Amino acid sequence: MRVGIGYDVHKLVKGRKLILGGLEIPYEYGLDGHSDADVLTHAVMDAILGAMGLGDIGSFFPDTDERYKDADSLLLLREIVDLSIKKGYFICNIDSVIMAEEPKLMPQISQMKKRLSKVLGINENLLGIKATTTEGLGFVGRKEGIAAQAVVLLKHKENF
Ligand code: MG
């Protein structure tokens, strides 16, 4: 069994879509970044890569590479999942939390779970997605950005 952790932050700005877990969320601000800036999906990808001991998404999908400009992060996640399968791993479970002062994400969580678990190739009940505010504290509390954290447990089909 191998555990991995992922953490990501993107800045909230005007004129961008807010994409979380592959889902477009209605909000007057969106996350800024080279790709679609989907913090949740990025945290999940980093957790999977971390568990495999393969670094982070920055080395796989550099933000200097034009191919990843406004990229759909679900497609990038698919590449990481394919890589993990090729290396003989399968996902035991994933848990995650999105930190956002606004908007309220509760109504969208089940949709996000559907989208992400499909790309991950796992049953929905193996994927936890939670949302929390930070009670007005810090950059999240000031609505300057959104953060996400994810942890994943991988099992190798042959080795430990
Ligand atoms: Mg990111």
PDB file of all heavy atoms in Angstrom, residues 3 9 17-18 36 40 43 47 60 64 80 86 88 99 123 125 128 130-131 134-135 158:
ATOM      1  N   VAL A   3       0.665   5.617   0.141  1.00  0.00           N
ATOM      2  CA  VAL A   3      -0.194   6.773   0.360  1.00  0.00           C
ATOM      3  C   VAL A   3       0.431   8.003  -0.284  1.00  0.00           C
ATOM      4  O   VAL A   3       1.655   8.107  -0.381  1.00  0.00           O
ATOM      5  CB  VAL A   3      -0.433   6.969   1.890  1.00  0.00           C
ATOM      6  CG1 VAL A   3       0.845   7.345   2.607  1.00  0.00           C
ATOM      7  CG2 VAL A   3      -1.535   7.985   2.155  1.00  0.00           C
ATOM      8  N   VAL A   9      -3.461  25.431  -4.801  1.00  0.00           N
ATOM      9  CA  VAL A   9      -4.127  26.717  -4.596  1.00  0.00           C
ATOM     10  C   VAL A   9      -4.166  27.453  -5.919  1.00  0.00           C
ATOM     11  O   VAL A   9      -3.183  27.421  -6.662  1.00  0.00           O
ATOM     12  CB  VAL A   9      -3.340  27.607  -3.590  1.00  0.00           C
ATOM     13  CG1 VAL A   9      -3.952  28.995  -3.492  1.00  0.00           C
ATOM     14  CG2 VAL A   9      -3.254  26.969  -2.220  1.00  0.00           C
ATOM     15  N   LYS A  17     -13.768  31.057 -15.763  1.00  0.00           N
ATOM     16  CA  LYS A  17     -14.770  30.111 -15.263  1.00  0.00           C
ATOM     17  C   LYS A  17     -14.258  29.475 -13.980  1.00  0.00           C
ATOM     18  O   LYS A  17     -13.054  29.268 -13.832  1.00  0.00           O
ATOM     19  CB  LYS A  17     -14.994  29.000 -16.288  1.00  0.00           C
ATOM     20  CG  LYS A  17     -15.754  29.432 -17.511  1.00  0.00           C
ATOM     21  CD  LYS A  17     -15.872  28.253 -18.472  1.00  0.00           C
ATOM     22  CE  LYS A  17     -16.563  28.670 -19.759  1.00  0.00           C
ATOM     23  NZ  LYS A  17     -16.483  27.601 -20.773  1.00  0.00           N
ATOM     24  N   LEU A  18     -15.178  29.140 -13.099  1.00  0.00           N
ATOM     25  CA  LEU A  18     -14.800  28.389 -11.898  1.00  0.00           C
ATOM     26  C   LEU A  18     -15.057  26.905 -12.165  1.00  0.00           C
ATOM     27  O   LEU A  18     -16.203  26.475 -12.317  1.00  0.00           O
ATOM     28  CB  LEU A  18     -15.610  28.858 -10.680  1.00  0.00           C
ATOM     29  CG  LEU A  18     -15.368  28.070  -9.386  1.00  0.00           C
ATOM     30  CD1 LEU A  18     -13.903  28.130  -8.963  1.00  0.00           C
ATOM     31  CD2 LEU A  18     -16.257  28.587  -8.262  1.00  0.00           C
ATOM     32  N   ASP A  36      -7.159  24.894 -16.832  1.00  0.00           N
ATOM     33  CA  ASP A  36      -8.444  25.390 -16.335  1.00  0.00           C
ATOM     34  C   ASP A  36      -8.414  25.690 -14.834  1.00  0.00           C
ATOM     35  O   ASP A  36      -9.412  26.116 -14.262  1.00  0.00           O
ATOM     36  CB  ASP A  36      -9.577  24.408 -16.692  1.00  0.00           C
ATOM     37  CG  ASP A  36      -9.416  23.051 -16.026  1.00  0.00           C
ATOM     38  OD1 ASP A  36      -8.501  22.888 -15.183  1.00  0.00           O
ATOM     39  OD2 ASP A  36     -10.203  22.139 -16.339  1.00  0.00           O
ATOM     40  N   LEU A  40      -9.085  21.094  -7.284  1.00  0.00           N
ATOM     41  CA  LEU A  40      -9.405  19.773  -6.723  1.00  0.00           C
ATOM     42  C   LEU A  40      -8.760  18.671  -7.562  1.00  0.00           C
ATOM     43  O   LEU A  40      -8.084  17.784  -7.035  1.00  0.00           O
ATOM     44  CB  LEU A  40     -10.926  19.579  -6.648  1.00  0.00           C
ATOM     45  CG  LEU A  40     -11.383  18.191  -6.194  1.00  0.00           C
ATOM     46  CD1 LEU A  40     -10.866  17.877  -4.800  1.00  0.00           C
ATOM     47  CD2 LEU A  40     -12.912  18.082  -6.240  1.00  0.00           C
ATOM     48  N   ALA A  43      -5.017  18.599  -7.073  1.00  0.00           N
ATOM     49  CA  ALA A  43      -4.604  18.002  -5.794  1.00  0.00           C
ATOM     50  C   ALA A  43      -4.683  16.476  -5.879  1.00  0.00           C
ATOM     51  O   ALA A  43      -3.798  15.770  -5.390  1.00  0.00           O
ATOM     52  CB  ALA A  43      -5.482  18.533  -4.663  1.00  0.00           C
ATOM     53  N   ALA A  47      -1.573  13.797  -5.571  1.00  0.00           N
ATOM     54  CA  ALA A  47      -1.635  12.717  -4.575  1.00  0.00           C
ATOM     55  C   ALA A  47      -1.291  11.376  -5.235  1.00  0.00           C
ATOM     56  O   ALA A  47      -0.530  10.583  -4.682  1.00  0.00           O
ATOM     57  CB  ALA A  47      -3.014  12.680  -3.921  1.00  0.00           C
ATOM     58  N   PHE A  60       5.102  16.933 -15.027  1.00  0.00           N
ATOM     59  CA  PHE A  60       4.422  16.218 -16.103  1.00  0.00           C
ATOM     60  C   PHE A  60       3.783  17.169 -17.117  1.00  0.00           C
ATOM     61  O   PHE A  60       3.784  16.917 -18.314  1.00  0.00           O
ATOM     62  CB  PHE A  60       3.330  15.295 -15.526  1.00  0.00           C
ATOM     63  CG  PHE A  60       3.863  13.961 -15.121  1.00  0.00           C
ATOM     64  CD1 PHE A  60       4.517  13.815 -13.910  1.00  0.00           C
ATOM     65  CD2 PHE A  60       3.744  12.864 -15.955  1.00  0.00           C
ATOM     66  CE1 PHE A  60       5.036  12.595 -13.526  1.00  0.00           C
ATOM     67  CE2 PHE A  60       4.256  11.638 -15.586  1.00  0.00           C
ATOM     68  CZ  PHE A  60       4.909  11.499 -14.369  1.00  0.00           C
ATOM     69  N   THR A  64       4.769  26.070 -18.806  1.00  0.00           N
ATOM     70  CA  THR A  64       5.424  26.780 -19.908  1.00  0.00           C
ATOM     71  C   THR A  64       5.041  26.131 -21.251  1.00  0.00           C
ATOM     72  O   THR A  64       5.359  26.661 -22.305  1.00  0.00           O
ATOM     73  CB  THR A  64       6.956  26.691 -19.749  1.00  0.00           C
ATOM     74  OG1 THR A  64       7.300  25.325 -19.464  1.00  0.00           O
ATOM     75  CG2 THR A  64       7.449  27.574 -18.618  1.00  0.00           C
ATOM     76  N   ILE A  80      -2.680  10.631 -15.910  1.00  0.00           N
ATOM     77  CA  ILE A  80      -2.019  10.167 -14.677  1.00  0.00           C
ATOM     78  C   ILE A  80      -2.601   8.809 -14.249  1.00  0.00           C
ATOM     79  O   ILE A  80      -1.870   7.912 -13.818  1.00  0.00           O
ATOM     80  CB  ILE A  80      -2.205  11.211 -13.541  1.00  0.00           C
ATOM     81  CG1 ILE A  80      -1.580  12.559 -13.927  1.00  0.00           C
ATOM     82  CG2 ILE A  80      -1.643  10.698 -12.220  1.00  0.00           C
ATOM     83  CD1 ILE A  80      -0.094  12.552 -14.103  1.00  0.00           C
ATOM     84  N   LYS A  86      -0.720   1.462 -15.840  1.00  0.00           N
ATOM     85  CA  LYS A  86       0.414   0.869 -16.554  1.00  0.00           C
ATOM     86  C   LYS A  86       1.497   0.390 -15.586  1.00  0.00           C
ATOM     87  O   LYS A  86       2.177  -0.598 -15.825  1.00  0.00           O
ATOM     88  CB  LYS A  86       0.979   1.908 -17.533  1.00  0.00           C
ATOM     89  CG  LYS A  86       1.607   1.301 -18.755  1.00  0.00           C
ATOM     90  CD  LYS A  86       1.624   2.243 -19.941  1.00  0.00           C
ATOM     91  CE  LYS A  86       2.544   3.423 -19.712  1.00  0.00           C
ATOM     92  NZ  LYS A  86       2.468   4.440 -20.744  1.00  0.00           N
ATOM     93  N   GLY A  88       0.931  -0.742 -12.686  1.00  0.00           N
ATOM     94  CA  GLY A  88       0.424  -1.858 -11.878  1.00  0.00           C
ATOM     95  C   GLY A  88      -0.310  -1.473 -10.603  1.00  0.00           C
ATOM     96  O   GLY A  88      -0.553  -2.304  -9.742  1.00  0.00           O
ATOM     97  N   MET A  99     -11.245  24.041   0.060  1.00  0.00           N
ATOM     98  CA  MET A  99     -11.373  25.155   0.987  1.00  0.00           C
ATOM     99  C   MET A  99     -11.764  26.407   0.213  1.00  0.00           C
ATOM    100  O   MET A  99     -10.970  26.906  -0.588  1.00  0.00           O
ATOM    101  CB  MET A  99     -10.052  25.369   1.732  1.00  0.00           C
ATOM    102  CG  MET A  99      -9.760  24.277   2.751  1.00  0.00           C
ATOM    103  SD  MET A  99      -8.006  23.937   2.966  1.00  0.00           S
ATOM    104  CE  MET A  99      -7.785  22.538   1.871  1.00  0.00           C
ATOM    105  N   ASN A 123     -15.383   3.328  -8.097  1.00  0.00           N
ATOM    106  CA  ASN A 123     -16.740   3.500  -7.606  1.00  0.00           C
ATOM    107  C   ASN A 123     -16.837   4.837  -6.850  1.00  0.00           C
ATOM    108  O   ASN A 123     -15.902   5.222  -6.151  1.00  0.00           O
ATOM    109  CB  ASN A 123     -17.049   2.335  -6.656  1.00  0.00           C
ATOM    110  CG  ASN A 123     -18.525   2.209  -6.387  1.00  0.00           C
ATOM    111  OD1 ASN A 123     -19.149   3.138  -5.882  1.00  0.00           O
ATOM    112  ND2 ASN A 123     -19.082   1.072  -6.737  1.00  0.00           N
ATOM    113  N   ASN A 125     -18.236   5.634  -4.189  1.00  0.00           N
ATOM    114  CA  ASN A 125     -18.077   5.593  -2.728  1.00  0.00           C
ATOM    115  C   ASN A 125     -16.621   5.428  -2.292  1.00  0.00           C
ATOM    116  O   ASN A 125     -16.325   5.388  -1.104  1.00  0.00           O
ATOM    117  CB  ASN A 125     -18.987   4.522  -2.083  1.00  0.00           C
ATOM    118  CG  ASN A 125     -18.622   3.117  -2.520  1.00  0.00           C
ATOM    119  OD1 ASN A 125     -17.548   2.898  -3.093  1.00  0.00           O
ATOM    120  ND2 ASN A 125     -19.492   2.172  -2.264  1.00  0.00           N
ATOM    121  N   GLY A 128     -13.969  10.582  -1.626  1.00  0.00           N
ATOM    122  CA  GLY A 128     -14.561  11.568  -0.717  1.00  0.00           C
ATOM    123  C   GLY A 128     -14.260  12.968  -1.217  1.00  0.00           C
ATOM    124  O   GLY A 128     -13.134  13.256  -1.616  1.00  0.00           O
ATOM    125  N   LYS A 130     -15.100  16.868   0.212  1.00  0.00           N
ATOM    126  CA  LYS A 130     -15.741  17.697   1.223  1.00  0.00           C
ATOM    127  C   LYS A 130     -15.434  19.154   0.904  1.00  0.00           C
ATOM    128  O   LYS A 130     -14.483  19.442   0.193  1.00  0.00           O
ATOM    129  CB  LYS A 130     -15.218  17.336   2.618  1.00  0.00           C
ATOM    130  CG  LYS A 130     -15.496  15.868   2.975  1.00  0.00           C
ATOM    131  CD  LYS A 130     -14.952  15.469   4.315  1.00  0.00           C
ATOM    132  CE  LYS A 130     -13.453  15.460   4.401  1.00  0.00           C
ATOM    133  NZ  LYS A 130     -12.786  14.592   3.414  1.00  0.00           N
ATOM    134  N   ALA A 131     -16.253  20.038   1.422  1.00  0.00           N
ATOM    135  CA  ALA A 131     -16.006  21.467   1.225  1.00  0.00           C
ATOM    136  C   ALA A 131     -16.087  22.152   2.576  1.00  0.00           C
ATOM    137  O   ALA A 131     -16.932  21.812   3.399  1.00  0.00           O
ATOM    138  CB  ALA A 131     -17.022  22.064   0.259  1.00  0.00           C
ATOM    139  N   THR A 134     -12.980  28.773   5.618  1.00  0.00           N
ATOM    140  CA  THR A 134     -11.961  28.887   6.665  1.00  0.00           C
ATOM    141  C   THR A 134     -12.387  29.963   7.663  1.00  0.00           C
ATOM    142  O   THR A 134     -11.552  30.642   8.239  1.00  0.00           O
ATOM    143  CB  THR A 134     -10.569  29.167   6.085  1.00  0.00           C
ATOM    144  OG1 THR A 134     -10.622  30.381   5.322  1.00  0.00           O
ATOM    145  CG2 THR A 134     -10.093  28.041   5.183  1.00  0.00           C
ATOM    146  N   GLU A 135     -13.714  30.090   7.812  1.00  0.00           N
ATOM    147  CA  GLU A 135     -14.278  31.006   8.812  1.00  0.00           C
ATOM    148  C   GLU A 135     -13.759  32.433   8.631  1.00  0.00           C
ATOM    149  O   GLU A 135     -13.493  33.135   9.601  1.00  0.00           O
ATOM    150  CB  GLU A 135     -13.937  30.519  10.231  1.00  0.00           C
ATOM    151  CG  GLU A 135     -14.467  29.123  10.549  1.00  0.00           C
ATOM    152  CD  GLU A 135     -15.969  29.121  10.863  1.00  0.00           C
ATOM    153  OE1 GLU A 135     -16.477  30.149  11.360  1.00  0.00           O
ATOM    154  OE2 GLU A 135     -16.626  28.107  10.567  1.00  0.00           O
ATOM    155  N   GLU A 158       1.092  -6.503  -7.510  1.00  0.00           N
ATOM    156  CA  GLU A 158       2.025  -7.575  -7.131  1.00  0.00           C
ATOM    157  C   GLU A 158       2.836  -7.233  -5.875  1.00  0.00           C
ATOM    158  O   GLU A 158       2.867  -7.993  -4.925  1.00  0.00           O
ATOM    159  CB  GLU A 158       3.026  -7.843  -8.276  1.00  0.00           C
ATOM    160  CG  GLU A 158       2.393  -8.567  -9.444  1.00  0.00           C
ATOM    161  CD  GLU A 158       3.061  -8.225 -10.757  1.00  0.00           C
ATOM    162  OE1 GLU A 158       4.190  -7.716 -10.748  1.00  0.00           O
ATOM    163  OE2 GLU A 158       2.436  -8.477 -11.808  1.00  0.00           O
TER     164      GLU A 158
END
